[in-house]
Amino acid sequence: MHQLTIAEIIRGLRSKEFSSTELTRHLLGRIQQLDGSYNSFISITEEKALAQAKAADQRLADGDAPVLCGVPIAHKDIICTSGVRTSCASKMLDNFIPPYDATLVENLNTAGTVTLGKTNMDEFAMGSSNESSYYGPVKNPWDTGYVPGGSSGGSAAAVAALLVPGATATDTGGSIRQPAALTNTTGLKPTYGRVSRFGVVAYASSLDQAGPIARNAEDAAHLLSAMASHDPKDSTSLDHPHTDFTAGLDNSVAGLKIGVPKEYFGEGLNPETASRVQDALKELEKLGAQLVDISLPHTELAIPAYYVIAPAEASANLSRFDGVRYGHRCEDPSDLRDLYMRSRGEGFGEEVQRRILVGTYALSAGYYDAYYNKAQQARRLVKQDFVQAFDKVDVIMGPTTPSPAFKLGAKSANPIAMYLEDIYTIATNLAGLPGMSIPCGLVNNMPVGLQITGNYLDEARMLNIAHQYQQVTDWHKASAV
Amino acid sequence: MAVDTQTVEKLAELARIAISKQTIEEVSNRLGDVLQLVDQLQAVNTDGIAPMAHPLDEIQVLRADKITESNNRKDFLELAPQTEDGLYLVPKVID
């Protein structure tokens, strides 16, 4: 039963092959039995899950069930769930139980999904290996000596290990796409503003966006259809009509123009990874797509601009953790300053502290123009590259990451090497564009991801292309377990 | 770009993060590495380029000035490490 995709679960529940309660019990049992090896969950919500499954079975029996009713999922632990600890994988929020649901959780609850638990991640979503979690690293189900990527490493690993058919995740610089690439899953970061950020603990507000990780494009389309909504509680949420992202999955991709940026195939790219991506592009050509050479000349500015903008926003966003209203508080503070200093010094891990300090530096008097303002200007140059490219092509494709998964600990001593892991994904966030990673092959039995970057609000087309690719290839069916 | 330990101490004070004497050297080196990375920005000409704060250049949405939230004081106070008489408790600020 754990091998079923969301689309298969939807059919199976309706044809009464199994109930949501049976499926939920089966997956909870699997998590109990196997997750010790992966550490992909921080919290397992067995009682709530069984109650939700029971209610879903009732709705299915009554015949008024929405599409996703009874489908088990998991939420990244940065997404607030009412009455369920939301830790952001930080000591700071180890005891934080939100009194409300994030809008995207509310949307999925309304859609009838069953929440099995909360998934592990890099602390406050800052990382690309899932090694900065307070609850220990997540292991890649393809080889537990390797990282699953990050920051949504728990969501990706749980889906790859067949513990759950789909999970929510967030992406600020690649945190959905990079772990999806490293675990052979399908991950989609929507257009900025497509999914409400209300109740998603903020890292870098102008870059953060939530999306699904699943086993194929069709399942990701189902999840995104339920997650996305205009939300008056998030002033950056886009006012767009509700979209059924599964509607166009069967469209032909003949005539599609795929931009292939030369900057994404240069130095630093593993030749084997490049070759898998080239194979995928050839496969799409066979389906009638046309490859167009393009250039995104400001690509190299993306990482430096990101490491000013994201830390600057983080330093402001994370100032809310003060040891007064919620979260960790130090023992016996001598005065208010001591309370702030020690609560934050003890509550935040090394990488989070580093990014807050970098952001503080970039925003401090005398450096604002040289760093923050300059980075915001560079950000516009990065965006303009994409705007110009989309005059000529429908989508842009390349590798999601420079190489397959690396060994646990291989980059943890060198933050800069870790930052470069997101070299192909970060520009998408700076521009606010939708990005996706789909499985496109293996190198030494470790997965490779093909990145699809779409124009603004063009997720339906990206999912359509991914689905069509997945009809003629079976890389997404290759299993870690 | 190197960052001296005094700068780190000042940043830690501004950010209200206690950093131990033992790790300050290490933190300085790491910050220096990050700043060296972001200093690549200085090489690019950005004259006349408007800074970009929002990916879609959206304008701030306004809403009607109406009460939409109920009073959740009890729920919120329950999350706090220390409270008294319905208020957050902190060390004495004024004598």
Side-chain angles (χ1 to χ4, degrees), chain A residues 189-218:
Chain A
K189 178 203 94 74
T191 306
Y192 181 81
R194 177 71 94 169
V195 174
S196 168
R197 292 185 296 108
F198 180 79
V200 179
V201 179
Y203 158 24
S205 306
S206 80
L207 303 163
D208 296 343
Q209 181 60 201
I213 293 181
R215 282 195 209 120
N216 60 39
E218 185 181 14

Side-chain angles (χ1 to χ4, degrees), chain A residues 96-100 198 324-327, chain B residues 69-83 86-88:
Chain A
F96 177 65
I97 299 172
Y100 63 94
F198 180 79
V324 174
R325 294 161 300 157
Y326 40 72
Chain B
E69 286 282 310
S70 49
N71 187 349
N72 300 322
R73 182 178 187 142
K74 192 175 150 287
D75 289 343
F76 294 147
L77 281 170
E78 272 175 10
L79 298 168
Q82 262 190 302
T83 59
L87 300 167
Y88 294 117

Side-chain angles (χ1 to χ4, degrees), chain A residues 329 337 361 374 376 380, chain B residues 1 13 44 50 52 82 89:
Chain A
R329 175 180 244 180
R337 180 185 165 281
Y361 184 87
K374 188 86 179 172
Q376 299 248 41
R380 188 171 298 280
Chain B
M1 180 177 160
E13 178 67 30
V44 62
M52 175 178 159
Q82 262 190 302
L89 203 62

Side-chain angles (χ1 to χ4, degrees), chain A residues 38-275:
Chain A
Y38 312 123
N39 198 28
S40 66
F41 279 84
I42 289 175
S43 304
I44 299 159
T45 51
E46 180 164 354
E47 224 170 279
K48 279 198 176 228
L50 290 170
Q52 282 179 321
K54 195 177 163 197
D57 283 331
Q58 188 59 52
R59 284 176 86 179
L60 285 156
D62 293 346
D64 71 337
V67 185
L68 287 177
C69 191
V71 174
I73 59 163
H75 292 298
K76 184 176 180 181
D77 212 23
I78 197 168
I79 298 170
C80 285
T81 41
S82 181
V84 175
R85 176 175 65 168
T86 299
S87 71
C88 288
S90 179
K91 181 181 178 185
M92 181 58 89
L93 290 179
D94 182 46
N95 61 2
F96 177 65
I97 299 172
Y100 63 94
D101 280 321
T103 299
L104 79 90
V105 171
E106 220 171 72
N107 289 348
L108 282 163
N109 285 345
T110 306
T113 57
V114 172
T115 307
L116 301 184
K118 304 293 295 287
T119 55
N120 203 346
M121 53 183 279
D122 277 299
E123 185 182 3
F124 283 103
M126 298 179 189
S128 308
S129 67
N130 216 122
E131 293 169 294
S132 74
S133 167
Y134 176 60
Y135 304 97
V138 176
K139 320 276 175 63
N140 193 324
W142 284 81
D143 184 332
T144 51
Y146 285 74
V147 304
S151 68
S152 311
S155 291
V159 172
L162 310 183
L163 304 179
V164 66
T168 60
T170 59
D171 187 316
T172 304
S175 286
I176 288 175
R177 292 159 287 158
Q178 186 253 10
L182 270 41
T183 58
N184 210 54
T185 52
T186 296
L188 171 64
K189 178 203 94 74
T191 306
Y192 181 81
R194 177 71 94 169
V195 174
S196 168
R197 292 185 296 108
F198 180 79
V200 179
V201 179
Y203 158 24
S205 306
S206 80
L207 303 163
D208 296 343
Q209 181 60 201
I213 293 181
R215 282 195 209 120
N216 60 39
E218 185 181 14
D219 288 5
H222 275 298
L223 290 174
L224 183 62
S225 300
M227 288 170 77
S229 68
H230 172 58
D231 183 8
K233 291 178 187 160
D234 171 4
S235 67
T236 61
S237 146
L238 296 172
D239 195 358
H240 58 85
H242 179 262
T243 309
D244 176 1
F245 292 98
T246 63
L249 290 177
D250 294 327
N251 293 348
S252 162
V253 297
L256 179 82
K257 283 193 186 140
I258 301 172
V260 184
K262 65 172 186 221
E263 290 81 4
Y264 286 29
F265 290 86
E267 203 188 327
L269 176 62
N270 176 312
E272 294 281 306
T273 297
S275 141

Side-chain angles (χ1 to χ4, degrees), chain B residues 39-57:
Chain B
D39 265 338
Q40 291 172 24
L41 288 173
Q42 307 311 332
V44 62
N45 182 357
T46 53
D47 290 350
I49 305 290
M52 175 178 159
H54 186 287
L56 302 176
D57 290 323

